[in-house]
Amino acid sequence: MPETSAPSTSRRLLSLLTVLQSRRDWSAAALAGRLDVSERTIRRDVDRLRELGYDIDATRGPAGGYRLRAGAHLPPVAFDADQAVAVAVALRVAASAGGPLADAADEALSVLSRLLPAPLGRRAQRFAVEVIAPAGAVGVDPSVLGAIEAAIEAAEEVRFDYSGSEGPARVTEPHHLVWSSGRWYLIGFTPERADWRIYRVDRMTLKTHRGRPFPRRALPGGDPVRYLEGRFRGGDATGRWPCRGEIVVAAERDDLAPYVGDGSLLATDDGRTRVSLGSWSWGALAAECLRFDRPIADARPDALRAALVEAARRAEAAAAS
């Protein structure tokens, strides 16, 4: 077949390598059709890839084709745009999750980020906006993530139906995609309410047509991750708990360390520990203070002391009944 274009050899080789990596076996005719070149060009380019160290098997005959095998060493790997973004997001997840490969994942992400063209680098950064501890991931159609990311990049509204709610389609100005505890969330400004809203992406069914352009806005606090954490906790854009207090617990600091979560500990001179904790309400904070099963004292502030008195009253009433 005649070749309809004449891309550079290097670009053509990278395209061929990307296609060969995508599945186990390819016929020469299928490769030629996929890359819009002749089968003769495919044969020449396969030979060039072999010279570069890629182990490519060939089978002869009418049904002959090519297979890229794992080699004895790691050769260069080629990705298309979507694959490169997916790898960058996966590396960010691995680097943020900790464990023995966290440092290697962070180094690999640095290498990939330097090599990505600027538009892909922005896409990867947008997708992987500071990951929060992944766990029990909920599946999301990659095309939905891609459409939202494209709308963020173009500063265009998205229209969507939201499962579990009735009424007309919703409209929001998308600003940030954030991965948190196994789910993707969209942080957007909703003009109808003149306020910021958070949407679970797995509950969104996007409308197909493009939305209107909008002016970019500054997220309160400036940090999407802290903003999401703060909203989850019922607090503000800083990510802090809305109710914070402290107590002194009759226990050594090391004995309490495994049980304080994101709280802080300060050893006192008499062998006790001052514990600072946060929660979504004063009642919940009082319950947190009582779970240590050790004598406590010097509760601060007054709101926490009042919550402890109320917790004691309710416990006494429950015991009496």
Side-chain angles (χ1 to χ4, degrees):
M1 61 177 287
E3 298 183 19
T4 58
S5 60
S8 68
T9 301
S10 58
R11 286 183 58 192
R12 202 174 61 241
L13 289 178
L14 286 174
S15 297
L16 175 59
L17 180 58
T18 300
V19 173
L20 286 171
Q21 289 171 160
S22 65
R23 76 182 193 207
R24 184 176 177 85
D25 294 293
W26 284 92
S27 70
L31 286 172
R34 178 72 174 265
L35 299 175
D36 199 20
V37 296
S38 68
E39 292 185 33
R40 181 181 178 184
T41 298
I42 292 295
R43 289 193 294 272
R44 290 201 308 264
D45 287 349
V46 166
D47 289 338
R48 291 188 179 102
L49 287 176
R50 286 171 175 158
E51 293 173 359
L52 293 173
Y54 293 94
D55 197 353
I56 302 174
D57 284 341
T59 56
R60 299 185 181 277
Y66 299 97
R67 174 187 300 175
L68 179 64
R69 295 197 306 170
H73 61 280
L74 184 64
V77 179
F79 296 111
D80 64 20
D82 290 339
Q83 291 169 346
V85 172
V87 170
V89 173
L91 288 171
R92 179 64 62 86
V93 172
S96 302
L101 292 179
D103 289 343
D106 190 55
E107 292 171 2
L109 180 61
S110 297
V111 172
L112 183 60
S113 298
R114 289 195 298 270
L115 296 176
L116 286 177
L120 289 187
R122 289 194 295 270
R123 284 187 63 193
Q125 182 64 24
R126 183 89 67 183
F127 262 130
V129 169
E130 290 92 359
V131 181
I132 312 172
V138 175
V140 172
D141 186 342
S143 66
V144 174
L145 289 174
I148 293 174
E149 185 275 332
I152 292 174
E153 185 71 22
E156 293 177 344
E157 293 178 338
V158 291
R159 298 181 69 254
F160 58 96
D161 293 324
Y162 202 58
S163 63
S165 63
E166 299 179 354
R170 302 192 181 194
V171 179
T172 194
E173 300 171 357
H175 281 75
H176 302 281
L177 274 172
V178 182
W179 169 261
S180 173
S181 301
R183 289 189 174 93
W184 282 102
Y185 294 89
L186 170 64
I187 302 176
F189 186 87
T190 302
E192 180 182 356
R193 299 179 179 271
D195 197 6
W196 293 88
R197 289 290 186 270
I198 296 171
Y199 302 98
R200 274 178 46 181
V201 176
D202 60 290
R203 294 176 57 186
M204 297 173 64
T205 302
L206 300 185
K207 302 296 184 181
T208 56
H209 64 272
R210 298 166 67 95
R212 296 177 301 180
F214 62 85
R216 300 191 185 277
R217 304 173 188 269
L219 182 70
D223 187 326
V225 171
R226 286 190 175 275
Y227 181 83
L228 191 67
E229 289 178 337
R231 292 289 295 272
F232 284 168
R233 293 172 170 179
D236 57 22
T238 66
R240 293 190 295 264
W241 288 109
C243 300
R244 295 199 62 85
E246 58 183 47
I247 54 173
V248 174
V249 183
E252 296 285 346
R253 184 184 186 282
D254 290 345
D255 294 335
L256 299 177
Y259 310 108
V260 299
D262 60 355
S264 61
L265 300 168
L266 179 64
T268 64
D269 293 337
D270 57 2
R272 298 183 300 168
T273 305
R274 181 169 294 279
V275 182
S276 297
L277 297 168
S279 192
W280 59 273
S281 73
W282 292 111
L285 184 56
E288 284 286 305
C289 295
L290 293 171
R291 70 185 174 87
F292 292 112
D293 196 27
R294 298 288 183 88
I296 62 175
D298 195 21
R300 307 175 186 174
D302 291 344
L304 176 57
R305 287 197 291 271
L308 286 167
V309 170
E310 175 62 15
R313 185 194 67 76
R314 292 168 58 190
E316 185 177 9
S321 63

